[in-house]
Amino acid sequence: MAPQRFREQFAQIQRTMPGVPLAMGPDDAGEFLYEKGVVLARDGEEARVVEDTVRQHFTTFAGLSADQVRRAGPATNRSGITRIQVADPGQGDGSGDPAVAGALRALSATEGRAGRRLISRNHVVSIAVNACPGDEPVPVAPGGQPNPAAAEAAHDPDSAVRVLVIDTGLMHDHRSYPLLAHTRGDAQLEECGEDGALKQYCGHGTFIAGLVAAVAPNTDITVRGTLNDAGAILESEFGEKLFEAVDRDGWPDVISLSAGTSNGRTDGLLGVDAFMRELREQPTLLVAAAGNNGSATPFWPAAYADLPGYENAVLSVGALRGDGEFGACFSNHGGWVKAYAPGERLTSALTGFDTPVPYVYQHSTYDSCRYGFTYPCTCHHPRHTGVLSEDGGSAKPDQVMFEGLAQWSGTSFATPVAVGMIASLMTAQAQTDPRKARRQLMDTTTEVAEVRGAHVPALLPPTWRPVQISPPSARA
């Protein structure tokens, strides 16, 4: 049986968020995850309108008790978002949530009259895009080199570009990697499980920091562990965490964000609305991953790059495959994706510099590309069997050892490559405005790639080397 990545990750993320029942949406289509039985509204008058409207809807049409509709938590200090419970989240399974769907329908006419969004699901924002990564990391033998390779530039603390990485935290041995000697931030929580094996997604933030440092050595990189728990956080908490990250160290030059969610809409995420509006007024540039769904559906926050007023504040980044000439099979695409960078089989720091660390694969590869591509993509090469999708215990999951560097794929990693190119341009031209640097980079980029029949800007660092993969042999 083919791997069921979405359902595998649904179960895994649910285990890392105890006490938060989750559902799949929309209905059971498997496009995103959200908190069961709860909706979001802005605090104050809008929250009251949502409560009253939903309560009337359920009492009149659904036959439910009106007291089921109640506030499930206070508004946050900065995001101004209130969680409103509309049903018992413990009822039913994760395949859809009729109560939340009913609440959204009840407010549709009111939203139309108000001219703005009043209610939202409480989505799960995650680095596990479509609840699965582009692939899982692959070890690089000792003596291997990063790709992109380290650029020849010195680190100058007086002129270094300030980059904030919102992701998982730093691995304990990250300073053993020379490019990360100046990196600081939060430690990765629980790197290994009780079996001593590396947990899924651990090292994600370290890998990203290594890519930024390779492309742009003159950077001061701070990594915040906002997404330590399987790379997932509720939308109602995410906006507040973003504020905490910038409040802690001040607004940086560039934010690198390799997380998000789709939501079936074209107007952004209610839970991060306050943060995005404040971002727009700051000089900071947000560079965000377009997502690995292989879809044209907007993925947030990256898709803010296509909304009026955010054109200069946000750059959305898709992934190119190993040759740099075409889009990676998993990369989201469409007019809202403004640039593409190498994102397949990049090499950067992971862990195991001090002591080799085992890793057991969680997902099995496919027999062919799950998106219908014919090149040897990460869907099926290299082959491995994972714990979550082994068939009835008949196949033993594959285990590998990490000893420093790894190869990894995803728009998660195309994003820091783009961040590095912007930071490198800022250093080369003594530019202090990251948004101007973004425009200069996009205006002067001459490389193009083909993505789903469209020609798109390709951001190719000078030290990046194309990765050519021979067609994989059939599984024995």
Side-chain angles (χ1 to χ4, degrees):
M1 184 177 73
Q4 302 294 314
R5 288 281 184 96
F6 185 86
R7 294 184 182 278
E8 293 165 13
Q9 280 295 325
F10 175 84
Q12 182 131 324
I13 289 175
Q14 181 68 87
R15 285 195 293 272
T16 66
M17 302 178 75
V20 183
L22 300 178
M24 304 176 192
D27 299 322
D28 62 350
E31 182 180 329
F32 49 75
L33 305 180
Y34 64 97
E35 184 181 13
K36 280 185 65 180
V38 169
V39 296
L40 302 182
R42 296 180 185 85
D43 192 42
E45 178 63 20
E46 291 190 14
R48 186 192 63 77
V49 169
V50 169
E51 285 183 275
D52 291 347
T53 304
V54 173
R55 186 176 290 113
Q56 181 181 13
H57 169 82
F58 281 158
T59 303
T60 304
F61 300 105
L64 300 180
S65 171
D67 61 9
Q68 284 187 289
V69 182
R70 61 183 182 276
R71 300 201 182 196
T76 56
N77 292 330
R78 299 286 293 279
S79 296
I81 295 299
T82 296
R83 292 169 60 247
I84 300 174
Q85 184 172 320
V86 297
D88 180 359
Q91 294 180 350
D93 57 23
S95 57
D97 187 341
V100 167
L104 297 175
R105 286 194 299 271
L107 266 295
S108 59
T110 305
E111 286 186 323
R113 293 192 296 272
R116 63 182 276 169
R117 190 176 187 184
L118 300 177
I119 187 173
S120 169
R121 292 180 175 91
N122 193 13
H123 301 89
V124 174
V125 178
S126 175
I127 61 177
V129 179
N130 197 22
C132 65
D135 72 345
E136 293 177 82
V138 177
V140 171
Q145 298 297 313
N147 187 23
E152 295 183 2
H155 178 267
D156 173 16
D158 293 328
S159 64
V161 178
R162 294 175 300 123
V163 176
L164 172 62
V165 175
I166 304 291
D167 209 87
T168 64
L170 290 163
M171 302 300 283
H172 75 279
D173 56 355
H174 72 277
R175 291 192 183 277
S176 298
Y177 185 54
L179 289 177
L180 296 181
H182 304 288
T183 301
R184 64 190 181 93
D186 300 329
Q188 168 72 56
L189 301 179
E190 296 185 279
E191 294 181 8
C192 298
E194 294 180 356
D195 58 357
L198 191 68
K199 287 191 170 184
Q200 191 175 16
Y201 303 121
C202 283
H204 194 268
T206 302
F207 194 95
I208 286 171
L211 290 171
V212 174
V215 179
N218 193 31
T219 46
D220 280 337
I221 304 170
T222 301
V223 180
R224 291 300 172 208
T226 304
L227 302 164
N228 261 319
D229 294 331
I233 188 172
L234 287 173
E235 178 183 340
S236 58
E237 302 171 6
F238 187 51
E240 189 68 17
K241 291 292 185 181
L242 291 174
F243 276 124
E244 288 178 7
V246 296
D247 287 347
R248 189 167 177 177
D249 304 294
W251 287 85
D253 295 311
V254 185
I255 296 174
S256 180
L257 177 63
S258 294
T261 181
S262 58
N263 64 352
R265 296 183 61 110
T266 59
D267 56 356
L269 294 176
L270 197 61
V272 301
D273 179 64
F275 178 83
M276 295 303 296
R277 284 188 281 109
E278 186 158 335
L279 168 74
R280 192 168 53 187
E281 305 306 317
Q282 298 290 336
T284 298
L285 173 68
L286 172 63
V287 184
N292 303 339
N293 299 354
S295 168
T297 300
F299 184 81
W300 308 97
Y304 276 93
D306 208 38
L307 295 186
Y310 291 96
E311 303 91 339
N312 295 321
V314 182
L315 177 64
S316 49
V317 183
L320 299 175
R321 72 188 197 187
D323 58 12
E325 297 179 7
F326 298 90
C329 70
F330 52 78
S331 181
N332 282 349
H333 50 90
W336 57 273
V337 184
K338 302 305 179 181
Y340 291 79
E344 193 175 73
R345 298 188 172 94
L346 299 179
T347 301
S348 183
L350 191 74
T351 191
F353 290 98
D354 294 343
T355 304
V357 181
Y359 178 75
V360 179
Y361 281 104
Q362 301 298 297
H363 305 286
S364 297
T365 48
Y366 295 73
D367 291 332
S368 60
C369 176
R370 55 189 151 144
Y371 301 108
F373 285 67
T374 57
Y375 78 99
C377 64
T378 58
C379 293
H380 58 111
H381 182 73
R383 299 285 194 184
H384 50 252
T385 298
V387 173
L388 298 174
S389 55
E390 62 176 308
D391 189 7
S394 60
K396 183 178 179 180
D398 293 325
Q399 178 174 305
V400 293
M401 297 294 293
F402 284 107
E403 301 181 64
L405 298 180
Q407 224 177 52
W408 214 342
S409 304
T411 59
S412 280
F413 313 122
T415 297
V417 170
V419 168
M421 292 190 69
I422 293 165
S424 180
L425 186 149
M426 292 177 68
T427 295
Q429 300 189 5
Q431 175 63 263
T432 59
D433 186 336
R435 298 185 183 184
K436 286 184 178 179
R438 169 210 178 274
R439 289 195 297 272
Q440 289 177 316
L441 179 64
M442 297 298 294
D443 289 344
T444 57
T445 293
T446 58
E447 299 285 351
V448 295
E450 184 177 324
V451 177
R452 310 281 177 147
H455 290 93
V456 301
L459 305 180
L460 306 180
T463 62
W464 171 76
R465 305 179 305 277
V467 179
Q468 302 295 338
I469 301 294
S470 300
S473 58
R475 176 178 282 176

